[in-house]
Amino acid sequence: MNTPELSRFSISMSSDLVRQLDEMVTAKGYGNRSQAVADMVRAQLVEHRGQMGDHEIAGTVTLVYDHHKRNIQALLTDIQHEHQGQILSTLHVHLDHNNCMEVLAVRGPASAVKQVADRLIAAKGVKHGKLTVTTTGQEFGS
Ligand code: NI
């Protein structure tokens, strides 16, 4: 594993904000402020790049639905087959007698991933759906 080159720069912010940052650094168990700020920067970069249509992203789509609703499972399966290029894997959990949760691992250009997520979440019968975007990991090195 190669060690990334570090750059040092100073940030000015209010003392109150620094105090709250330090409280969070301690509460979350970071070794220092720099680690916490680097995580925040990476999180913002993931979110920013998730808005860029051709940028390669990974993520999960979580869906909750009542499997007794007419045609819902056939509809969700049809959509998944039409977007098999973006769907890597699917996990199905029977939450209770009526409700199912599906978690789909997705990857591809941001626009294509969002399109399949939107179609699944908007499908009639889905009670709640959410796309969580993450990085493919390649852009942040080691
Ligand atoms: Ni089920």
Side-chain angles (χ1 to χ4, degrees):
M1 204 168 84
N2 50 344
T3 309
E5 186 187 336
L6 294 177
S7 292
R8 188 178 290 271
F9 66 105
S10 60
I11 303 173
S12 300
M13 60 181 84
S14 73
S15 305
D16 182 55
L17 202 54
V18 173
R19 180 186 55 75
Q20 293 183 57
L21 171 64
D22 287 343
E23 285 175 8
M24 191 189 75
V25 167
T26 302
K28 290 195 171 185
Y30 284 110
N32 53 54
R33 278 180 198 156
S34 292
Q35 288 177 9
V37 171
D39 263 8
M40 289 182 224
V41 170
R42 280 189 288 266
Q44 286 299 309
L45 286 170
V46 165
E47 187 172 321
H48 171 64
R49 289 170 180 159
Q51 312 294 326
M52 295 159 69
D54 58 351
H55 191 81
E56 179 92 355
I57 60 171
T60 55
V61 180
T62 304
L63 305 168
V64 174
Y65 61 90
D66 182 343
H67 73 96
H68 292 119
K69 292 281 185 206
R70 216 174 125 84
N71 291 331
I72 177 71
Q73 285 190 304
L75 175 58
L76 292 178
T77 302
D78 282 350
I79 296 171
Q80 292 181 41
H81 277 272
E82 286 170 27
H83 295 270
Q84 56 184 292
Q86 285 80 51
I87 298 173
L88 306 172
S89 180
T90 305
L91 169 74
H92 185 107
V93 178
H94 311 301
L95 292 174
D96 59 29
H97 184 71
N98 300 318
N99 293 294
C100 300
M101 178 171 72
E102 277 189 18
V103 181
L104 292 76
V106 291
R107 179 181 186 165
S111 59
V113 168
K114 281 188 175 162
Q115 191 189 18
V116 61
D118 285 346
R119 285 192 69 191
L120 290 163
I121 292 166
K124 192 171 179 349
V126 171
K127 294 181 176 182
H128 182 251
K130 185 172 172 56
L131 167 65
T132 302
V133 173
T134 186
T135 171
T136 61
Q138 294 174 357
E139 60 223 13
F140 293 132
S142 54

